[in-house]
Amino acid sequence: MSDCLFCKIIAGEIPSSKVYEDDQYFAFNDINPQAPTHFLVVAKKHIDKVSSMNEGDRALIGGLFDVAARICREKSVTDYRLVINNGEGVGQTVFHIHLHVLAGRSMNWPPG
Ligand code: 5GP
Ligand code: ZN
């Protein structure tokens, strides 16, 4: 999608601190980290939010978790929080599905 920030990051049109890339996925450090480790995992396919994905996207979106777990394993990070915001009302600001991976500090539950 031409006006999507994360599509531009995936395409390399906007620079990012890349953590991982393969043919379907891209991961990069969050520009405004909320924990010592805070990166985002996205599928290269543009889907704006979880509530608009369809059955055909299940495996692709499920794979975000696999990529996150693989990166964390490589970094020897064992405990981490995975977050996907769906909708402006809960804080989604970029409308290209992304999995937040946060680690390296203690965290409260429930989240704010
Ligand atoms: P959301 O609030 O949509 O769940 O998360 C969007 C995330 O994208 C935020 O944590 C924000 O800091 C991050 N972000 C916004 N713009 C950029 C950018 O240009 N580069 C990077 N690396 N992260 C960004
Ligand atoms: Zn996009």
Side-chain angles (χ1 to χ4, degrees), residues 4-36:
C4 169
L5 174 66
F6 286 176
C7 283
K8 287 179 182 161
I9 286 177
I10 293 162
E13 291 164 18
I14 292 175
S16 69
S17 164
K18 182 165 82 173
V19 174
Y20 176 86
E21 182 173 14
D22 63 25
D23 57 334
Q24 292 188 99
Y25 300 102
F26 195 88
F28 53 103
N29 288 311
D30 197 292
I31 204 168
N32 183 23
Q34 300 301 312

Side-chain angles (χ1 to χ4, degrees), residues 81-103:
R81 182 165 291 178
L82 302 174
V83 176
I84 296 180
N85 293 317
N86 183 81
E88 261 169 14
V90 297
Q92 186 176 5
T93 57
V94 179
F95 284 80
H96 179 131
I97 295 176
H98 49 283
L99 180 62
H100 291 261
V101 183
L102 300 126

Side-chain angles (χ1 to χ4, degrees), residues 32-60:
N32 183 23
Q34 300 301 312
T37 295
H38 185 183
F39 62 89
L40 306 172
V41 186
V42 298
K44 290 184 172 178
K45 178 182 175 184
H46 179 91
I47 306 169
D48 64 345
K49 52 185 176 171
V50 169
S51 53
S52 48
M53 61 184 268
N54 58 48
E55 249 180 69
D57 298 321
R58 272 187 187 169
L60 183 67

